[in-house]
Amino acid sequence: MDLGIKGKWALVCGASKGLGLGCAQALAAEGVNVVLVARGARDLDAAAQALQAETPGVTVLAVAADITTSEGRSAALSVAGGPGAAFDIVVNNAGGPPPGDFRAWDRDMWIKALDANMLTPIELIKATVDGMAQRGFGRIVNITSGAVKAPIDILGLSNGARSGLTGFVAGVARSPLAAQGVTVNNLLPGAFDTDRLKTTLAGAAEKTGQSVDAIADARRKNIPAKRFGTSEEFGAICAFLCSVHAGYITGQNVLADGGAYPGTF
């Protein structure tokens, strides 16, 4: 299927590895020019060079910056020709806050979680959607978490911040932007084989006294697909949501979890 987005410009956050990189790879494979943003310059440069080699027909740019800061956002948004004006696609993605017991979290930890997983995506949406609307095409995909639908007790910081973003998106996606060709959706990963999963498993192991391998095996057994997801298949879902074929999908929470969520709705 031709996704119809060749030549578009995409900003992909948290793109040096994991799910963010998977999204960047899938978009670049469809002919989309990508700006990769991440804090770690070394991993980011390596990812950008590899992706450019894999997709010589597109432009791959790297911005080593903390997207959760105003300075980092300014650096990222200025790359493709102005303060966010040239981006047709934005993939919002930031590392989740640490797991733990809510009794140990102070105000500063909550503010940090909100800055990274709620307020930063909102700022990037604000900076880009009007330009998208003027051109009649735009795609915002926010990588949140399956824990938005099925909260996990040790991920309370993430549960709270990402649920706040979900509520915001539910409103803005149904604003006049929807009639101007701009869609805003959330992509909710379940258990994918990433560094974030490893951190979560380690936190659960510490809390229960079990080994990480035992926790991982139990987690897999509770997933109907009996495995963890891959960044490649996650990226493919993201690329479709960014395509011309997904113009009638907006304000949705797309869950990719191998069937782990037990609910009907």
Side-chain angles (χ1 to χ4, degrees):
M1 179 185 291
D2 180 359
L3 298 188
I5 49 178
K6 184 177 182 179
K8 301 290 188 185
W9 277 90
L11 174 65
V12 184
C13 304
S16 62
K17 55 187 175 181
L19 301 182
L21 179 56
C23 293
Q25 291 169 330
L27 290 169
E30 293 296 326
V32 177
N33 303 305
V34 292
V35 175
L36 313 183
V37 184
R39 286 175 295 182
R42 185 173 182 177
D43 288 342
L44 179 64
D45 288 342
Q49 291 175 16
L51 184 55
Q52 185 66 85
E54 294 167 5
T55 53
V58 305
T59 299
V60 178
L61 303 175
V63 179
D66 184 351
I67 200 69
T68 68
T69 67
S70 58
E71 296 81 8
R73 289 189 292 275
S74 294
L77 292 168
S78 299
V79 171
F87 286 110
D88 308 289
I89 295 166
V90 174
V91 179
N92 280 312
N93 177 40
D101 188 319
F102 77 93
R103 298 170 184 82
W105 300 329
D106 59 18
R107 176 179 172 79
D108 287 343
M109 294 183 71
W110 275 107
I111 295 300
K112 186 176 181 179
L114 290 169
D115 273 339
N117 299 122
M118 178 182 172
L119 299 179
T120 289
I122 290 173
E123 288 293 329
L124 291 172
I125 291 169
K126 183 171 69 173
T128 56
V129 291
D130 289 336
M132 294 175 179
Q134 290 172 5
R135 294 188 298 274
F137 178 91
R139 299 288 185 265
I140 305 284
V141 175
N142 304 301
I143 299 177
T144 62
S145 171
V148 172
K149 286 182 70 70
I152 301 170
D153 63 343
I154 63 171
L155 299 182
L157 289 170
S158 178
N159 297 340
R162 297 189 195 278
S163 294
L165 176 64
T166 302
F168 169 80
V169 167
V172 74
R174 293 168 175 85
S175 74
L177 291 168
Q180 295 172 291
V182 180
T183 68
V184 189
N185 291 291
N186 303 314
L187 186 48
L188 286 58
F192 279 77
D193 190 10
T194 63
D195 288 346
R196 172 64 173 172
L197 177 64
K198 293 179 177 66
T199 299
T200 302
L201 294 175
E206 182 178 355
K207 182 177 180 179
T208 63
Q210 301 180 63
S211 70
V212 172
D213 287 342
I215 294 290
D217 287 341
R219 185 80 177 269
R220 290 189 194 93
K221 290 177 181 177
N222 286 327
I223 300 171
K226 303 302 180 188
R227 65 177 178 86
F228 297 140
T230 69
S231 58
E232 290 81 8
E233 59 192 336
F234 187 87
I237 301 169
C238 178
F240 177 76
L241 288 175
C242 295
S243 75
V244 297
H245 309 296
Y248 209 52
I249 302 173
T250 194
Q252 301 304 304
N253 295 292
V254 180
L255 182 62
D257 69 349
Y261 176 66
T264 303
F265 302 107

